[in-house]
Amino acid sequence: MGMTASFLPKPVVGVNGSGMHTNVSVSNGKKNLFWDPKGEEKLSKLGWEFTDRILTHGNDICLVLNPA
């Protein structure tokens, strides 16, 4: 078909790119599981653990998500 899939933020000059902006949320029904009004920075324990794992495994994640 002459097309190539790419996850580059701006693969073609002159064409708008995505900037690779990503938001992540985890919920149960309508309850946001990352929100805790009493938590540090109002982030729940699950939210902190999720963030920790993303940062801990960042190098490995980049191998999968970033093009060579």
Side-chain angles (χ1 to χ4, degrees), residues 39-60:
E40 183 181 346
E41 300 293 329
K42 299 188 192 268
L43 191 62
S44 69
K45 182 175 185 235
L46 176 68
W48 283 111
E49 289 171 355
F50 184 90
T51 302
D52 177 61
R53 289 184 183 189
I54 293 291
L55 294 174
T56 298
H57 299 289
N59 287 337
D60 296 329

Side-chain angles (χ1 to χ4, degrees), residues 3-60:
M3 293 186 250
T4 302
S6 173
F7 295 99
L8 290 167
K10 193 163 175 85
V12 180
V13 175
V15 176
N16 292 335
S18 69
M20 297 302 290
H21 182 103
T22 304
N23 291 314
V24 178
S25 63
V26 177
S27 60
N28 185 4
K30 293 187 177 186
K31 180 178 167 55
N32 179 347
L33 299 180
F34 287 169
W35 169 256
D36 181 357
K38 296 177 184 170
E40 183 181 346
E41 300 293 329
K42 299 188 192 268
L43 191 62
S44 69
K45 182 175 185 235
L46 176 68
W48 283 111
E49 289 171 355
F50 184 90
T51 302
D52 177 61
R53 289 184 183 189
I54 293 291
L55 294 174
T56 298
H57 299 289
N59 287 337
D60 296 329

